[in-house]
Amino acid sequence: MKILVSACLLGKNCKYNGGNNLNQSVLDFIKGHEVIGVCPEQLGGLSTPRLPAEIVAGVVTNKEGISVDAQFRKGAQTALAVALENKVDLAILQSRVKEIYDGSFSGKKIKGQGVFARLLAAHGIKVLDAENIAEHK
């Protein structure tokens, strides 16, 4: 099976704060499979580290109120092209599959999908949330 995985979950330091979200459950899950790591934010041209960004009224905006929507959407499209080119069977993303931050930068989450998760699902690619990976073993 070919699995697309958020690069931060694989230990790549591409998270907004310069760190990663290395996830042992994800590493265990993908063992023995072909893995393609992507960071849509970096693919969209955003630097690491960078200001945190949330969806505010449908637009991806950083904490200073500056739109980074174009970069997020470009990165999501580029990462989707990687997924389609590699004919992935599954994608594992860092959360934002069923919940997103509410746009207040307070840490509160609401029901919704991130830009990349929504795009993958729209193209028929099954998306799993890293937080719930144990449920899918």
Side-chain angles (χ1 to χ4, degrees):
M1 178 169 24
K2 290 186 182 181
I3 305 174
L4 186 88
V5 181
S6 292
C8 62
L9 296 169
L10 300 173
K12 182 174 181 191
N13 292 328
C14 57
K15 191 174 161 181
Y16 78 92
N17 64 5
N20 64 65
N21 292 315
L22 182 63
N23 186 307
Q24 189 59 51
S25 294
V26 170
L27 295 178
D28 292 343
F29 185 90
I30 63 175
K31 238 179 237 168
H33 299 287
E34 185 176 339
V35 177
I36 299 106
V38 296
C39 176
E41 292 85 353
Q42 286 184 338
L43 289 172
L46 293 171
S47 64
T48 301
R50 59 189 167 273
L51 290 172
E54 297 183 6
I55 298 173
V56 179
V59 177
V60 184
T61 306
N62 73 20
K63 195 170 184 171
E64 291 182 347
I66 298 167
S67 174
V68 288
D69 196 74
Q71 294 93 325
F72 265 74
R73 294 186 190 284
K74 176 186 174 192
Q77 287 289 340
T78 303
L80 172 66
V82 170
L84 295 174
E85 179 181 307
N86 286 281
K87 296 179 174 63
V88 300
D89 302 295
L90 175 69
I92 303 173
L93 305 182
Q94 173 60 32
S95 304
R96 312 320 154 250
V97 174
K98 295 181 183 173
E99 287 184 322
I100 58 172
Y101 289 106
D102 71 354
S104 68
F105 294 92
S106 65
K108 183 179 178 203
K109 294 180 185 176
I110 58 173
K111 186 176 180 172
Q113 283 187 308
V115 172
F116 187 41
R118 184 178 307 134
L119 191 59
L120 287 168
H123 284 81
I125 298 172
K126 183 177 179 179
V127 181
L128 299 181
D129 187 318
E131 289 182 9
N132 302 324
I133 201 73
E135 299 170 11
H136 299 282
K137 286 190 175 185

